[in-house]
Amino acid sequence: MPDRKAKTITLGWREWLNLPELGLTNIKAKIDTGARTSALHAFEVRPFEHDGRRRVEFKMHPNQRDRETVIVCVADIVDQRLVKDSGGHAEQRWVIKTPIKIGTHSWPIEITLTARDDMLFRMLLGRSALRGRAVVDPSRSYLIGKRKKQD
């Protein structure tokens, strides 16, 4: 049996990450082991079909406290699920699957799309995305994903 501990990375309670297939860099994410699914800020979410594939287009403000910068993203739809937020409110959300990149580490994760304009973090990285890959040190921040300067 392989040594799982040797392959896991340690993350802080918040990290800088990239979602390269969505064109998103320097996203500040809260690593939230209390959340099962990961969530990404999205607005003007528009599902559509292209070449027989169900897809979704959405806009997002990548930087907290900045509603001027907008990035348009497109991804394949994996599912639509009823998700309860931390306040117990249920919301139907689109689910996409895309690679996440934290430092030199990369792997595919599922992400739900929801409006997070009023939240401090543009993304929550939930425990399903961490399973078998990372552990969290809640006393530390930015252990791996350093913010990259824009070119």
Side-chain angles (χ1 to χ4, degrees):
M1 182 172 197
D3 182 13
R4 263 176 126 32
K5 202 159 183 87
K7 295 179 184 176
T8 59
I9 57 175
T10 301
L11 303 175
W13 72 271
R14 58 187 171 177
E15 292 287 344
W16 291 103
L17 57 84
N18 299 304
L19 300 170
E21 286 187 4
L22 299 178
L24 299 173
T25 58
N26 293 326
I27 302 297
K28 190 188 327 185
K30 179 180 180 184
I31 313 305
D32 189 351
T33 60
R36 178 183 304 136
T37 57
S38 298
L40 180 66
H41 170 61
F43 65 96
E44 293 184 24
V45 178
R46 183 182 66 87
F48 65 98
E49 195 164 313
H50 181 71
D51 290 336
R53 291 170 32 207
R54 290 179 48 208
R55 307 200 82 200
V56 65
E57 177 185 87
F58 60 96
K59 295 178 181 176
M60 73 100 57
H61 302 299
N63 309 312
Q64 72 185 58
R65 294 189 290 278
D66 173 3
R67 293 189 185 209
E68 299 299 315
T69 305
V70 175
I71 295 180
V72 178
C73 305
V74 177
D76 288 337
I77 294 172
V78 172
D79 197 4
Q80 189 174 28
R81 296 184 192 141
L82 190 64
V83 178
K84 284 187 183 176
D85 65 19
S86 59
H89 305 99
E91 177 187 31
Q92 198 72 27
R93 297 183 188 174
W94 293 108
V95 181
I96 63 171
K97 188 171 189 172
T98 191
I100 184 175
K101 188 166 196 275
I102 304 177
T104 60
H105 307 276
S106 182
W107 65 93
I109 65 168
E110 287 189 352
I111 302 172
T112 64
L113 304 177
T114 188
R116 295 186 55 80
D117 261 326
D118 297 331
M119 307 301 251
L120 189 56
F121 293 89
R122 292 290 161 243
M123 182 167 174
L124 287 183
L125 190 60
R127 66 181 178 267
S128 295
L130 303 173
R131 187 173 293 121
R133 299 203 180 258
V135 294
V136 181
D137 181 343
S139 69
R140 310 273 308 275
S141 294
Y142 310 120
L143 295 179
I144 296 186
K146 304 298 182 206
R147 184 172 189 165
K148 305 278 190 286
K149 291 192 191 274
Q150 298 296 322
D151 293 332

